[in-house]
Amino acid sequence: MHPAFSVIFLTTLLGVGQGLFLALFSSQAYSVVDVLPAQSGNFYALGAFIALIFLIGGLVASVFHLGHPERAWRAAAMWRTSWLSREVIALPITMAVIAIYALVNWLGIDADLYGLGIPNQVALSVGAFGVVATIALFVCTAMIYAAIKFLQEWASPLTVVNYFLLGTASGFGFATAYAAIAAPELAQFYGGWAITLTIASLLTRAASLFRNARIKQKSSVQTAIGVRHNKVRQGSMGMMGGSYNTREYFHGRSVAFLKSVKWIFLVLVFPIPLLLLWLGLAQANANLLMLAFGVQYVGLLFERWFFFAQANHPQNLYYQVVG
Amino acid sequence: MTQLALVIDLNVCVGCHACVTSCKQWNTSGEAGPLFDDNPYGKDPTGTFFNRVQTYEVGSFPNTETLHFPKSCLHCEDPPCVPVCPTGASYKRKEDGIVLVDYDKCIGCKYCSWACPYGARELDEKQQVMKKCTLCVDRIYDMSIPEDRRKPACVISCPTSARLFGDVHDPESDVSLAIRESGGYQLMPEWGTKPANHYLPRRKTKLRIHADELVRADNPLSKEDIKHETSKESSLDDWLM
């Protein structure tokens, strides 16, 4: 497939925003049972606001993917069958809940909803909805790709797992840097999870690379045109100027380029951020932690580019030779 | 239920591209607006087409065969492009099984084109909506056209009648008979899309001759094993020569 930068930014920015929100909510939930020190409402509010900015950034990026963004509201119609439609519904819900979560924390709205006598019951209730919406959004985003069964590189549960783990890893990475500045006592908690999630995503992403390297394509030029002969060669694709079919489904780069992108993302997403996170946490250095997030985010752009470029669309079988 | 479809006879197609140009002509002139052409007379021309004719070479020299392969939307009975559309712009008509795009609802997200294994859909670069073969839905029901001309433009224009058009759910229709009796098949059956369009394979008429058919089986001379010495003298037959 041809990697579109709109979708690359959309999926990576959403991942950071969602991961950051999950990090904030988990630390606030832990603080209720005194596992972690509680922070002021402003800490969670500002963090959730930054998460919201990441989500808005993703939304803006997605607009560039559409031919008719002014009709985008129509995209909520077919949620019964289309994962894209489900994402279009899940995204604004997630954004709204995170915005409310930020507002509740900022204004310090609280009430003893459940008669437990513990603080932040309103914020945590809103946040719990946010967790459900966030995870639903992760699943919707990934299933857009995993649901196309003949894009065999994508049609795997690993796609969903990778979107979730890579998104949360980068989100927790950002939370670590944010905490190092605003709430240093939380940096170890976020950083520990950022490292755990990065290692977990390394395992699952490596599993999908391993799977895709050994994939056996079900379609061949024989099934494409229905001729049973071992030697079938295209003589002409029917046009010389190219078309949507030759632009949308080919990444247009060499095998060596593809391979180099794979190694770039493998280095930028996993070992370097892990090293920087470890150093940053050991020295309590916010700059190093921010650098860890920055490097990992850039790596994720490469990762997403590779994710799209690696997918081999069966329609390409019809477009092998110009003439 | 009706399922309109094309049946394309690869045994007859000569690869003349008449279906391509007539399709483009009809569909660029219709109510839905032109099929965009970018830089048509310059360098790197490109544009939107519903139909293409490709050419394949089967086998290796000298045992090769050229196959001309017209390719358009197959109007699948289980179209993977329809359920993925977030707006409902992409739909399959209940009454005749044609898969269509509502250009007023399409947001140009390209998801349906990703979900079509055949690459039958093209985004119109000018209108920024997804386009595809409509089976000339604006022609086949047009009562102002003589009845025998109410067929897709590609079918009418084909000089060798390689393209048949009809209802593949009617077992007695021309297309069903052709599929049944001439080995009609579907493309990429492995994805379960159940394309309505079928292709008829290349067929060769061969006469199989067995060795015993080259010798007269009922030759009384060989049968009774009678062998006469032929006379050196002239016979009546020689006079006739």
Side-chain angles (χ1 to χ4, degrees):
Chain A
M1 300 295 292
H2 176 74
F5 275 98
S6 49
V7 184
I8 291 174
F9 280 105
L10 162 73
T11 54
T12 50
L13 287 171
L14 289 189
V16 178
Q18 290 164 271
L20 176 57
F21 169 73
L22 290 179
L24 293 166
F25 175 80
S26 56
S27 66
Q28 193 175 26
Y30 282 17
S31 72
V32 171
V33 287
D34 284 333
V35 177
L36 288 173
Q39 302 299 319
S40 72
N42 285 342
F43 172 78
Y44 301 112
L46 181 62
F49 181 69
I50 296 170
L52 197 60
I53 288 176
F54 277 113
L55 294 177
I56 291 169
L59 187 65
V60 170
S62 76
V63 167
F64 289 98
H65 187 68
L66 300 181
H68 281 280
E70 78 281 3
R71 299 176 186 164
W73 60 273
R74 288 185 181 275
M78 289 291 152
W79 56 273
R80 284 182 189 82
T81 59
S82 171
W83 282 104
L84 179 54
S85 189
R86 287 168 200 165
E87 190 197 28
V88 166
I89 294 169
L91 178 55
I93 290 177
T94 307
M95 289 168 72
V97 176
I98 292 177
I100 295 169
Y101 176 78
L103 207 64
V104 166
N105 270 306
W106 185 46
L107 298 174
I109 298 170
D110 205 358
D112 197 4
L113 290 177
Y114 310 107
L116 298 170
I118 51 171
N120 295 326
Q121 287 186 33
V122 175
L124 287 173
S125 304
V126 174
F129 276 112
V131 171
V132 174
T134 300
I135 291 172
L137 180 57
F138 268 125
V139 172
C140 290
T141 307
M143 279 308 291
I144 288 173
Y145 309 104
I148 305 177
K149 58 184 171 183
F150 49 80
L151 279 166
Q152 289 174 259
E153 287 84 357
W154 293 353
S156 154
L158 282 172
T159 302
V160 183
V161 174
N162 284 328
Y163 267 73
F164 180 75
L165 288 178
L166 290 168
T168 47
S170 59
F172 272 80
F174 185 87
T176 313
Y178 171 59
I181 299 165
E185 60 270 34
L186 287 181
Q188 292 289 340
F189 168 71
Y190 291 146
W193 274 108
I195 289 171
T196 308
L197 290 164
T198 302
I199 292 172
S201 59
L202 171 61
L203 295 177
T204 57
R205 192 66 180 93
S208 83
L209 286 176
F210 191 79
R211 170 185 179 272
N212 290 349
R214 279 150 191 79
I215 219 156
K216 193 175 184 305
Q217 297 291 347
K218 279 190 189 170
S219 290
S220 62
V221 68
Q222 283 79 10
T223 69
I225 67 168
V227 174
R228 185 165 285 275
H229 195 297
N230 292 343
K231 255 197 123 170
V232 178
R233 186 185 70 84
Q234 189 171 43
S236 155
M237 61 167 74
M239 85 299 247
M240 298 186 74
S243 70
Y244 179 77
N245 300 82
T246 59
R247 290 190 293 268
E248 181 71 8
Y249 305 91
F250 293 90
H251 53 76
R253 305 286 177 164
S254 65
V255 178
F257 186 89
L258 205 65
K259 214 169 199 174
S260 65
V261 170
K262 181 177 80 180
W263 284 108
I264 289 170
F265 96 68
L266 281 174
V267 171
L268 290 184
V269 176
F270 306 109
I272 296 182
L274 283 173
L275 191 70
L276 289 170
L277 275 168
W278 175 64
L279 278 176
L281 288 172
Q283 301 175 7
N285 186 333
N287 290 335
L288 279 179
L289 293 171
M290 194 46 92
L291 187 65
F293 166 74
V295 169
Q296 191 169 45
Y297 183 75
V298 172
L300 282 175
L301 296 179
F302 281 93
E303 189 274 335
R304 225 33 63 86
W305 190 95
F306 184 81
F307 171 79
F308 286 104
Q310 198 193 24
N312 199 3
H313 201 289
Q315 81 101 38
N316 292 359
L317 294 166
Y318 294 107
Y319 299 91
Q320 295 294 320
V321 177
V322 171
Chain B
M1 208 176 87
T2 307
Q3 172 65 63
L4 296 180
L6 296 171
V7 171
I8 297 166
D9 194 342
L10 300 179
N11 200 39
V12 178
C13 177
V14 293
C16 71
H17 293 248
C19 53
V20 179
T21 49
S22 64
C23 164
K24 178 84 174 179
Q25 192 278 330
W26 176 265
N27 286 296
T28 205
S29 323
E31 284 174 34
L35 297 182
F36 181 58
D37 275 323
D38 195 12
N39 215 11
Y41 304 109
K43 198 168 170 274
D44 297 327
T46 185
T48 312
F49 280 76
F50 292 168
N51 184 29
R52 296 282 194 185
V53 178
Q54 306 189 319
T55 304
Y56 293 84
E57 187 182 76
V58 180
S60 44
F61 184 82
N63 296 316
T64 52
E65 194 168 301
T66 303
L67 184 87
H68 299 294
F69 180 82
K71 174 178 172 288
S72 59
C73 171
L74 306 171
H75 298 278
C76 298
E77 302 203 34
D78 191 0
C81 54
V82 168
V84 301
C85 176
T87 67
S90 190
Y91 63 105
K92 186 172 177 69
R93 292 185 7 144
K94 285 216 165 54
E95 61 268 37
D96 54 16
I98 301 179
V99 178
L100 287 176
V101 180
D102 185 337
Y103 299 154
D104 293 330
K105 279 188 187 168
C106 176
I107 58 172
C109 70
K110 308 176 191 169
Y111 194 25
C112 58
S113 71
W114 294 11
C116 170
Y118 308 101
R121 291 169 165 252
E122 296 189 21
L123 189 84
D124 192 292
E125 296 289 344
K126 180 80 174 174
Q127 278 175 278
Q128 285 293 319
V129 294
M130 199 54 73
K131 294 195 172 178
K132 60 179 284 302
C133 163
T134 65
L135 275 183
C136 287
V137 70
D138 52 346
R139 183 183 171 98
I140 56 178
Y141 296 111
D142 189 343
M143 293 301 166
S144 67
I145 296 175
E147 194 174 354
D148 62 334
R149 307 277 296 167
R150 284 178 214 154
K151 290 175 182 173
C154 57
V155 175
I156 301 241
S157 67
C158 181
T160 58
S161 301
R163 301 172 78 94
L164 308 175
F165 170 67
D167 175 14
V168 289
H169 281 186
D170 172 6
E172 297 311 318
S173 67
D174 286 351
V175 282
S176 291
L177 278 174
I179 294 167
R180 207 157 61 230
E181 294 177 357
S182 304
Y185 65 88
Q186 297 168 320
L187 305 183
M188 289 190 194
E190 62 271 25
W191 300 118
T193 55
K194 293 195 246 162
N197 281 13
H198 282 67
Y199 286 78
L200 305 183
R202 296 272 290 157
R203 303 182 290 288
K204 287 192 178 147
T205 310
K206 281 182 179 164
L207 188 60
R208 184 163 295 184
I209 300 170
H210 296 280
D212 64 335
E213 290 168 329
L214 290 171
V215 189
R216 202 174 131 186
D218 54 353
N219 186 339
L221 296 178
S222 62
K223 198 164 195 173
E224 291 163 27
D225 204 25
I226 303 167
K227 283 176 183 156
H228 294 287
E229 285 293 315
T230 47
S231 167
K232 294 241 169 27
E233 293 167 23
S234 57
S235 70
L236 185 63
D237 290 348
D238 294 332
W239 290 101
L240 295 171
M241 289 176 79

